[in-house]
Every structure is written in C-alpha cells, then in structure tokens.
Amino acid sequence: MDLQILPLAVTMMAGPQIVAAVILVTTARPVRVSSAFLLGVAVATAVGVAVTRGIFALLGQAVSPGQPSDPGSAATIVQLVLVGLLVLVAMKNLVRRESVEPPKWLGSLMDAGPLRALRTGLLVILLMPSDVMVMLTVGAHLEQRRAGLAEALPFIGATVLIAALPLLLYLVFRRRARRAMPRLREWLNTHSWVVNVAACLLFIVLILTP
C-alpha cells in the first residue's frame, strides 16, 4: 500500500465517524464500549476493502482497472467520478453550513453498550457514502496493481488507529480527557460541516496527487 492511498484512512473517520468515537469515550464504560466500536470499524473496513477489491477483480478485462498512467482506465474513471461527487458534497455542506446538524443517532450513543457500539462501528463504515468511496478507491488501487488483501493491512490499521485516538487520549490523560471530550463533542456537533468539507478536500487532493 503506497503513501497515496494510506492517508485516505483519515477520510474514513472524518465526520460522524470520529464524533461517534468521541461520544463513546464519554459513556459510563468507555473502554469496553470503545473497544467494541473499534472492532466493528476494523471488521467493516476489512470486509469493505475485500468486497470492493473483489468487484474490480470480477469485472475483469471488460472494465479492467488498467495502469496508473492510463487516463482511460476504469480505476482512473472511478477516481474522477469520486472527485466530482466530493466537490458536490463539499459545496452542499458549505452552502448549508448554518443548517447542517449532526445525525440524531449520535445523541443516542450516550447510553450505548458494547453490542450497540459494535454495530455502530460496522455501520458507520459500511453505510457512509464517503467511506464507500474510499474503499472503492482502495479496491481499485489493489486490483490495478494486482496486489493481495495483505497490501491493505496498513490502510486498515491506520483507519482503526485514527478511530482509536479518542480512547487512547482518554487512557493517557484520564481526568483531563474526561473534561475535554464533552467540549470536543459539542464542537464537532456544531461544526460538523467544517469536518465534512475538510474531509472532502483532503480526499480530492489525495486522489489527484500522482
């Protein structure tokens, strides 16, 4: 996995995904609940990459991913389509920034147990359009280079590490983190559009960078 794809792990957790991780650290059982969430993120990311890689493999020569230098390859076309979609998403968040609100399900995570956290970790990866786009890019990248799933392990690990940052901060700083996390959660809730736009711009840069 080259350095062009690895930073996409940041985009995987940008938005409601990282907000969910922060909220779970403020629950009554932060370690157990957050660990279950991380397991869900790891499983969902691994499954997602395997499925998208398999999709490009099954399509075969009919729509071959082609070589990185080929502007007409399927992988390149997918990337350009993703860039167009991301531009639209960024513009939508920018225009509607005053009215953008976090999903209601985030608030219900305050009372989440390990099972709910595990399910949340799975769903925030598999059902988020931005994450699906990232995993499509990674799957195309793997097939383009005829690489196995082992090549995606650094990407999966980086995604889980980013998701684990709130828990790691909690474990290291404890009292300070317990006081800071609610304030961080509130800021992320009220500035979700900033996170979304930043994630879109980062993804676009990473896609277009040779």
Side-chain angles (χ1 to χ4, degrees), residues 95-109:
V95 171
R96 298 178 55 193
R97 60 185 180 277
E98 299 297 335
S99 59
V100 171
E101 295 182 357
K104 293 182 179 180
W105 57 266
L106 283 173
S108 65
L109 292 180

Side-chain angles (χ1 to χ4, degrees), residues 58-82:
L58 288 174
L59 291 176
Q61 295 301 317
V63 284
S64 174
Q67 298 301 317
S69 58
D70 180 7
S73 67
T76 301
I77 293 172
V78 168
Q79 290 177 343
L80 293 177
V81 170
L82 293 181

Side-chain angles (χ1 to χ4, degrees), residues 154-202:
F155 168 77
I156 297 170
T159 300
V160 176
L161 177 61
I162 294 169
L165 287 178
L167 177 60
L168 293 176
L169 290 173
Y170 171 82
L171 293 174
V172 172
F173 296 105
R174 290 285 181 174
R175 291 183 180 178
R176 292 182 181 178
R178 187 179 291 274
R179 291 195 299 267
M181 286 300 172
R183 293 197 295 270
L184 176 58
R185 182 188 66 216
E186 292 301 321
W187 187 90
L188 290 171
N189 281 335
T190 56
H191 295 78
S192 58
W193 68 272
V194 177
V195 179
N196 293 335
V197 171
C200 289
L201 294 178
L202 174 62

Side-chain angles (χ1 to χ4, degrees), residues 10-21 37 41 44-45 48 52 82 85-86 89 93 101-106 109 119-137 159 192 195-196 199 203:
V10 176
T11 311
M12 287 286 288
M13 291 305 300
Q17 299 92 317
I18 194 64
V19 178
F37 175 77
V41 169
T45 305
T52 55
L82 293 181
L85 291 174
L86 287 166
V89 171
N93 277 273
E101 295 182 357
K104 293 182 179 180
W105 57 266
L106 283 173
L109 292 180
R119 185 167 62 248
T120 300
L122 291 168
L123 296 180
V124 295
I125 298 297
L126 295 177
L127 297 185
M128 286 291 175
S130 60
D131 287 350
V132 173
M133 288 190 287
V134 171
M135 290 185 290
L136 280 170
T137 302
T159 300
S192 58
V195 179
N196 293 335
F203 195 7

